[in-house]
Amino acid sequence: MKRFIKVLLITCTIALGLTGCLRGSKLQIPPAAGDSGAKKIERIVSMAPSNTEIICALGAADRLVGVTAFCNYPEEATLKQKIGDFQINREKVLELEPDLVVGISGQEGVAEELEQHGIRTIILNPADFDGTLASILEMGEVLGASDRAVQIVENMKAKRDEVRTAIVGAEPVSVLVVLDVEGLWTVGPGTFLHELIEDAGGRNIAASANAPYLQLSIETIVAENPDVIIMTLPGKEELMSKPGFDRVKAVIDGRVLEVNADVVSRPGPRLADGLYEIARVLHPDRFR
Amino acid sequence: MAQVDILIDGVVCSYGSHLVISGLSLQVKRGDFLGIIGPNGSGKTTLLRTIARVLEPSAGRVVFMGKDVYKMSARELARKMAVLGQEHSAEYDFTVHEVVLMGRTPHLGRFQGERQHDLEVAEHAMRVTNVLHLKDRLITELSGGERQRVMIARALAQEPEVLLLDEPTAYLDVGHQTEILTIIRRLNATSQLTVIGVFHDLNLASEYCDKLVLLDRGRIRAMGDPFSVLTTENISAAYGSTAVVSRHPFLPKPHVLVLPRRVERAGGERVHLVAGGGSGSALMERISLRGLSLSVGVINEGDSDWLTARSLGARIISVPAFAPVTVREAEELEAIMIGAKLVAVAEVPFGHGNLLNLRACLRISERGIPVVCMGDASKVAERDYTGGSATKLFSELQERGTRFVQAAEFDALLDWIVAEGERDAR
Amino acid sequence: MKKRSGFVLVVLVALLAVSCVIAVSRGSVHIPWRTSLLILFGERGDWPASYERILLGVRVPRVLMAAVVGGSLSVAGVSFQALLQNPMADPYIIGVSAGAALGATVGIIGFGSLGFKLVPPLAFLGALGAMTTVYVLAKRGPRVPVVPLLLSGVAVSAFLSAVVSLLMVTHRERLDRVVFWLMGGLTGASWERLLSILPYTIVGFCIMYYFSKDLNALLFGEEQAAHLGVEVEKVKAILLFTSTLVTAAAVSVTGLIGFVGLIVPHLMRLLTSPDHRILLPAAALGGASLLVVSDMLSRTLLSPAEIPVGILTAMMGGPFFLYLLYRRKGGM
């Protein structure tokens, strides 16, 4: 028995040592020739809809060779080759021979794998409106379209200022966001939708939550009695027929509104439009 | 002096705080066929598992050929000791040959395949246990008896010096029981295989073992040859049952007949039965089962109804075999009948020898004790060997209210007596 | 019987080889047969350079990892079924899956952008931790009886799964990643990951094979095995930990791929023999082939999207298993 354990230990050590060596000399193909500055980026793969929107807005749609199945805007992006959905199909990405792959937070693992195949990757990870502007500027620089990027960012800022001016002195409107009717999931601080609501002169009733996504009980909703309900998916009728909702102010006043989820949650160039849209919903009297 | 194979020395075993074996010592000699018997919970199987190195005793030692079995490795022991358990279900599709070859495991190295010698040992084992023709069959396809023979073959393939049996025939029919035990007995006799077995069936133990150990609550109550262990006293003390021990009709071994235990009721209502020639056995059992007391008579000694009555512990008024009932017994009979709740007359033939029984019934019914007759009034003549006297007595009984009843009605009457008794008791 | 088993082993080796070749030549990117072979043999030609990267950098390691993981889960399943004397046992039965899931979930949601690097080690540690807990809970003096082992496995798994669910509910933003990890898959296959689990598979298999006669004896129950000279508790402890290590290594890089570890052992018992000296290699080969083929289909059926491979193992293995079971009953 003792002898057996000894043999086992030795075998394990050797096997692990072997892996260590191989890891040290891992099969790494050198990065594709040329640096970002030297060679113009000709083939781009986007691994998220927000990235696709930024790239297209920067006028690089013709250089975009691969997008995800979720990339539905702008129109021309839907015609590109698909490289996956939740999961990225590595083979497909490699086949497209991109010079640049643009991912988002959560895709660090895929990005590292692609780097090992010699593909340059960028992870865009904006946390808020200003972060989104920074991402756009960053992409503009990478794609050699800085002027365009600055222009987009200025437009977005202008739109935000317009909203800010419009709502000066307005009473804050309490808002409930419903992501799905079934579970009554809503957003808390740390999400774009939350930021947009607060910026648009609203008060998210889940503002005090310590999680970005949470489920609210009907009791809480009735108690908070929101003035407006914003839905990101269709289902207005179903929501209004839920028990207790007939006492909610937003339902009584008929202020249950469906908005385009993509516009208000994608950290891309349309985010300012989303802000404007929400502000209009919250303060219709200020936008004539 | 014969060599001591196994020495059990002051063994104590417990499951938690419950003591199962308390200080048991025992010696088994080479070539012994030792049977361990005892009631449920007496520690038989525990003792066997202790010997087999499965259940380490909390005190005491089990010494096998000079070595403490708990200081031996499982492998070392398995080369000398094999265990045959109760029939177990085989769920995996091994062939008989593969199963038997498994018995060679303790003799083989880790990566060693079976050698020619191992194949020969296995083949011999299969021949001895008569399963060679099943060699390539799947163990899952065999009957219980065949499978148990395969398991013996596997045990033999271990080439053991000691074979432990844990009720190896518990789930087999009588034919297969004797087959299995005969094979083992022959091995014991021809190749000095020491056998230690746990038995539930006292007669199987008596028949096949040279020596028996009777356990009772974790201690040895009796030990020795079957005649000295299987006595009425020992059996009653260990099992709490009454047993009749006789000699086996063909073997120099005791034969045990354990009698049904009576379910006594507090009230002690009694039913008297006039029977004979086997006509009353079934009725007696029905009376006894309800916990009613039973008296029987007058009856000839040695009559089958007499044996039944005796085994049920009934009160009996008897006359010697073939002797007629005399006035003396008839008076005694009346005295007993008076104390009964009911007197029943079985469908017994009446001759001059037992006619007095019927007369006693008549007198008793005059004194208000209910009398019933089993069977059909119209067929009484068929069992009247007195030239009409019995038939006449029957019709007189009927005139005094005695009825002829069938089994179902008789049972109803008994149940009524029981119910009445219980009501009175409250 | 013996001869047939040898034949089946040869067939299984051939099957695995053919599966691997086909799996390497098929994918969401179409690379012609001949080109694939030429690339594999190191030839150079006028095909796009990406073909080499796809084949050698993505597809080959993925196919090999499918083989290694399939084999690992199957031999672990064989071992667990014999050790627990339970045909329903699979490699996940005593808490391995729930522990790995918790480890992976913590990695995914607890460490932000660094999480992806921590998922495999945390899953591995989670699996080992859960199994050790179950083992300690089931220990009764020097013995570890099977029923308490199974029961504490159920209890610990239920508890850990509940914690995973709680984490999923409170971190909805990472929900999809946790769900995909739980479904399992070979998407993240790489040479590095393959080499990190290979030692566990090889060493684990050798240990199991070393005890194959003991496993045979254990099929007849623990006491029977003890009577045949098996040190039951010792063997059980060694093999439970070995099987857990093998499973944990596989799970740590692929998530929870179901069904392979349950059904392949039964499939191979029906095809070959319950004798572990044959069954273990057969299960390794069969499990490897099943996962290689399933993964190939998962990559190609809805290309470029992937079907979680667990769905395909169940859809392919289930009916085939039933067919064998039915044929066997009918033939008797």
Side-chain angles (χ1 to χ4, degrees):
Chain A
M1 202 63 221
K2 278 236 178 73
R3 202 183 49 146
F4 162 69
I5 288 169
K6 220 156 108 192
V7 170
L8 174 65
L9 280 176
I10 293 168
T11 323
C12 280
T13 318
I14 294 173
L16 289 171
L18 195 69
T19 346
C21 295
L22 286 166
R23 264 188 197 165
S25 64
K26 66 181 141 200
L27 293 146
Q28 199 161 29
I29 301 155
D35 288 323
S36 55
K39 190 191 163 201
K40 197 170 179 240
I41 289 163
E42 295 293 349
R43 302 178 65 81
I44 311 165
V45 164
S46 161
M47 300 200 289
S50 58
N51 297 346
T52 304
E53 290 194 20
I54 293 175
I55 293 164
C56 291
L58 289 169
D62 53 338
R63 290 188 267 161
L64 193 58
V65 291
V67 297
T68 70
F70 302 133
C71 296
N72 53 0
Y73 185 90
E75 186 74 33
E76 53 188 327
T78 59
L79 307 170
K80 307 287 178 184
Q81 293 233 44
K82 301 288 178 289
I83 51 104
D85 37 54
F86 289 106
Q87 310 233 48
I88 300 301
N89 186 326
R90 277 75 164 162
E91 289 192 5
K92 206 73 199 171
V93 175
L94 289 180
E95 189 200 18
L96 295 172
E97 302 195 355
D99 321 303
L100 179 69
V101 173
V102 189
I104 53 164
S105 161
Q107 292 176 327
E108 290 86 355
V110 190
E112 196 188 76
E113 280 178 46
L114 293 172
E115 290 271 348
Q116 287 183 8
H117 291 297
I119 293 170
R120 183 175 169 207
T121 61
I122 294 180
I123 296 283
L124 296 181
N125 188 14
D128 51 22
F129 194 93
D130 288 324
T132 307
L133 301 181
S135 294
I136 293 170
L137 291 174
E138 185 188 348
M139 274 313 292
E141 205 164 307
V142 171
L143 298 179
S146 288
D147 297 349
R148 188 93 181 242
V150 170
Q151 198 191 332
I152 293 168
V153 166
E154 287 310 318
N155 283 344
M156 288 174 75
K157 278 182 177 167
K159 204 156 216 173
R160 182 169 63 176
D161 290 340
E162 190 190 334
V163 168
R164 280 178 179 164
T165 319
I167 61 166
V168 165
E171 274 291 299
V173 177
S174 64
V175 180
L176 164 70
V177 174
V178 176
L179 296 178
D180 83 311
V181 177
E182 193 54 46
L184 291 180
W185 281 90
T186 190
V187 295
T191 57
F192 284 94
L193 204 41
H194 173 83
E195 193 194 1
L196 296 188
I197 288 169
E198 302 281 314
D199 273 356
R203 186 181 61 78
N204 182 2
I205 66 164
S208 59
N210 48 13
Y213 295 93
L214 63 150
Q215 276 176 301
L216 284 183
S217 69
I218 292 183
E219 286 183 19
T220 313
I221 293 167
V222 171
E224 291 282 341
N225 205 17
D227 301 319
V228 176
I229 296 177
I230 293 176
M231 301 182 68
T232 56
L233 287 174
K236 201 166 155 181
E237 296 306 316
E238 191 189 344
L239 183 77
M240 294 201 293
S241 66
K242 273 188 176 275
F245 272 76
D246 52 349
R247 290 150 186 264
V248 173
K249 192 159 176 292
V251 175
I252 296 166
D253 297 350
R255 296 183 75 189
V256 180
L257 300 142
E258 295 167 351
V259 301
N260 182 347
D262 298 342
V263 179
V264 295
S265 59
R266 280 184 193 169
R270 289 195 288 167
L271 204 55
D273 299 337
L275 176 66
Y276 193 87
E277 174 74 23
I278 289 176
R280 243 173 37 133
V281 163
L282 299 188
H283 303 284
D285 49 323
R286 303 283 177 125
F287 296 87
R288 284 273 143 72
Chain B
M1 187 186 140
Q3 195 185 338
V4 175
D5 243 11
I6 294 177
L7 174 74
I8 295 153
D9 182 15
V11 159
V12 178
C13 279
S14 51
Y15 289 118
S17 59
H18 177 65
L19 212 58
V20 183
I21 293 180
S22 37
L24 192 147
S25 295
L26 184 66
Q27 281 186 12
V28 185
K29 296 191 180 69
R30 166 154 302 178
D32 271 357
F33 198 131
L34 175 75
I36 304 171
I37 54 174
N40 287 338
S42 60
K44 306 183 295 281
T45 300
T46 304
L47 177 60
L48 199 77
R49 296 176 74 209
T50 304
I51 300 172
R53 194 187 171 274
V54 174
L55 191 75
E56 187 161 5
S58 41
R61 294 181 307 154
V62 179
V63 181
F64 178 46
M65 298 174 74
K67 275 190 179 172
D68 187 330
V69 296
Y70 287 90
K71 295 202 171 100
M72 293 166 84
S73 72
R75 218 169 124 74
E76 190 182 353
L77 189 66
R79 277 182 231 153
K80 294 178 178 131
M81 184 189 279
V83 182
L84 183 63
Q86 300 182 354
E87 194 214 12
H88 35 263
S89 55
E91 290 164 38
Y92 295 95
D93 286 339
F94 284 108
T95 62
V96 168
H97 191 222
E98 286 170 330
V99 172
V100 175
L101 271 177
M102 258 181 228
R104 297 304 297 161
T105 309
H107 295 273
L108 289 172
R110 283 264 160 218
F111 296 107
Q112 197 175 13
E114 288 85 9
R115 302 154 298 187
Q116 188 57 36
H117 171 69
D118 300 306
L119 297 176
E120 281 162 15
V121 171
E123 184 152 331
H124 176 73
M126 287 190 278
R127 187 170 295 122
V128 171
T129 52
N130 191 26
V131 291
L132 195 55
H133 61 289
L134 303 172
K135 191 175 168 184
D136 294 318
R137 291 272 298 278
L138 294 179
I139 184 90
T140 43
E141 296 169 351
L142 303 185
S143 72
E146 289 169 332
R147 196 146 57 212
Q148 199 62 328
R149 279 184 356 238
V150 173
M151 297 321 276
I152 303 178
R154 193 184 77 177
L156 292 182
Q158 286 176 252
E159 295 184 291
E161 288 166 41
V162 175
L163 179 63
L164 303 186
L165 310 173
D166 184 10
E167 288 186 61
T169 60
Y171 298 109
L172 300 180
D173 62 45
V174 281
H176 285 113
Q177 279 184 348
T178 43
E179 181 183 27
I180 299 288
L181 289 171
T182 305
I183 291 170
I184 295 170
R185 173 83 227 194
R186 194 168 60 227
L187 291 163
N188 164 255
T190 55
S191 44
Q192 282 283 294
L193 179 71
T194 310
V195 181
I196 304 175
V198 164
F199 289 89
H200 236 22
D201 186 320
L202 297 179
N203 287 319
L204 283 180
S206 162
E207 230 171 280
Y208 289 97
C209 302
D210 304 319
K211 241 176 109 177
L212 292 179
V213 174
L214 174 61
L215 294 187
D216 182 14
R217 276 158 286 177
R219 291 173 195 283
I220 295 177
R221 177 165 288 278
M223 177 159 57
D225 67 82
F227 274 109
S228 68
V229 173
L230 293 175
T231 64
T232 309
E233 295 73 34
N234 282 340
I235 292 168
S236 129
Y239 292 86
S241 296
T242 318
V244 181
V245 181
S246 54
R247 198 187 145 92
H248 190 284
F250 317 115
L251 296 171
K253 289 288 178 73
H255 185 82
V256 180
L257 180 65
V258 177
L259 304 174
R261 214 180 287 196
R262 295 190 52 208
V263 197
E264 280 291 357
R265 281 185 53 255
E269 295 79 15
R270 181 159 53 79
V271 174
H272 184 88
L273 188 66
V274 174
S279 62
S281 299
L283 300 176
M284 281 185 246
E285 201 197 343
R286 298 230 279 276
I287 294 165
S288 199
L289 274 177
R290 285 173 173 76
L292 293 164
S293 295
L294 173 66
S295 54
V296 179
V298 178
I299 190 165
N300 289 108
E301 284 167 17
D303 183 294
S304 66
D305 278 346
W306 178 82
L307 287 169
T308 308
R310 204 179 65 151
S311 80
L312 291 173
R315 221 164 135 182
I316 303 171
I317 307 160
S318 59
V319 292
F322 306 111
V325 180
T326 67
V327 180
R328 194 165 66 85
E329 287 93 32
E331 278 170 2
E332 202 186 334
L333 176 64
E334 273 177 51
I336 281 183
M337 281 176 165
I338 282 171
K341 291 276 179 210
L342 176 71
V343 172
V345 181
E347 287 183 87
V348 55
F350 281 98
H352 291 291
N354 62 353
L355 199 59
L356 279 178
N357 284 340
L358 215 48
R359 284 196 204 289
C361 289
L362 190 58
R363 272 198 294 283
I364 281 302
S365 74
E366 282 166 4
R367 293 170 71 169
I369 307 288
V371 176
V372 292
C373 300
M374 304 305 297
D376 236 324
S378 55
K379 289 183 179 152
V380 163
E382 289 169 17
R383 47 189 169 94
D384 182 358
Y385 299 95
T386 56
S389 310
T391 314
K392 190 158 163 273
L393 279 170
F394 269 118
S395 38
E396 279 177 46
L397 270 170
Q398 270 183 297
E399 280 162 26
R400 286 191 170 74
T402 293
R403 286 187 305 123
F404 277 79
V405 297
Q406 303 300 325
E409 200 179 341
F410 182 67
D411 284 347
L413 270 173
L414 294 178
D415 290 338
W416 180 78
I417 294 171
V418 171
E420 283 287 291
E422 274 162 11
R423 208 189 58 200
D424 290 350
R426 275 202 297 272
Chain C
M1 199 73 199
K2 277 279 150 58
K3 264 190 198 131
R4 200 173 78 101
S5 299
F7 173 69
V8 173
L9 280 185
V10 171
V11 170
L12 285 171
V13 170
L15 179 69
L16 178 58
V18 171
S19 311
C20 284
V21 169
I22 294 175
V24 165
S25 65
R26 299 290 307 277
S28 46
V29 175
H30 177 75
I31 302 175
W33 247 96
R34 282 173 48 83
T35 314
S36 310
L37 281 178
L38 289 173
I39 291 173
L40 283 181
F41 286 109
E43 300 283 330
R44 301 222 147 260
D46 57 350
W47 46 77
S50 65
Y51 280 11
E52 278 172 39
R53 264 192 236 139
I54 290 171
L55 213 62
L56 300 176
V58 177
R59 227 181 260 174
V60 171
R62 180 165 180 162
V63 167
L64 293 180
M65 200 157 105
V68 169
V69 168
S72 296
L73 293 176
S74 302
V75 293
V78 166
S79 159
F80 274 117
Q81 283 171 8
L83 289 172
L84 302 174
Q85 292 130 53
N86 187 330
M88 288 304 293
D90 71 0
Y92 303 148
I93 196 162
I94 52 172
V96 174
S97 55
L102 181 58
T105 307
V106 167
I108 290 169
I109 68 185
F111 293 92
S113 59
L114 271 178
F116 75 96
K117 278 187 194 294
L118 292 172
V119 167
L122 284 176
F124 185 80
L125 290 178
L128 279 192
M131 190 271 160
T132 312
T133 309
V134 169
Y135 188 84
V136 170
L137 287 176
K139 212 162 153 63
R140 305 274 183 275
R143 301 186 60 231
V144 185
V146 166
V147 172
L149 200 59
L150 287 169
L151 289 179
S152 26
V154 170
V156 168
S157 296
F159 178 80
L160 295 178
S161 302
V163 176
V164 169
S165 299
L166 182 67
L167 288 172
M168 284 163 76
V169 166
T170 54
H171 295 81
R172 201 180 127 110
E173 67 279 12
R174 302 267 177 172
L175 186 72
D176 55 330
R177 301 195 54 211
V178 176
V179 169
F180 272 98
W181 189 92
L182 291 178
M183 282 202 278
L186 290 142
T187 315
S190 64
W191 285 107
E192 193 181 307
R193 287 185 167 187
L194 173 65
L195 291 172
S196 73
I197 63 164
L198 198 57
Y200 293 98
T201 307
I202 292 171
V203 175
F205 178 83
C206 292
I207 295 174
M208 288 178 202
Y209 197 81
Y210 180 81
F211 287 110
S212 49
K213 283 183 195 169
D214 305 60
L215 287 171
N216 286 348
L218 274 168
L219 292 182
F220 289 80
E222 291 189 2
E223 284 206 9
Q224 290 275 323
H227 300 326
L228 284 174
V230 177
E231 302 282 355
V232 174
E233 293 304 326
K234 212 180 280 177
V235 170
K236 212 157 60 173
I238 293 173
L239 285 181
L240 278 177
F241 276 95
T242 306
S243 313
T244 301
L245 278 174
V246 169
T247 311
V251 165
S252 73
V253 292
T254 61
L256 302 179
I257 296 177
F259 205 69
V260 178
L262 174 68
I263 222 71
V264 171
H266 288 295
L267 215 60
M268 290 304 141
R269 255 183 229 114
L270 288 173
L271 282 174
T272 61
S273 148
D275 185 343
H276 287 83
R277 288 172 289 182
I278 292 151
L279 181 58
L280 280 169
L285 293 167
S289 306
L290 176 65
L291 201 55
V292 166
V293 173
S294 303
D295 180 56
M296 177 188 71
L297 294 177
S298 101
R299 287 183 283 131
T300 52
L301 282 183
L302 294 183
S303 172
E306 290 194 6
I307 305 169
V309 73
I311 295 174
L312 289 159
T313 50
M315 284 176 86
M316 288 177 39
F320 185 48
F321 177 68
L322 287 174
Y323 160 74
L324 281 181
L325 210 61
Y326 178 78
R327 196 193 60 174
R328 178 166 164 267
K329 283 221 171 114
M332 265 164 58

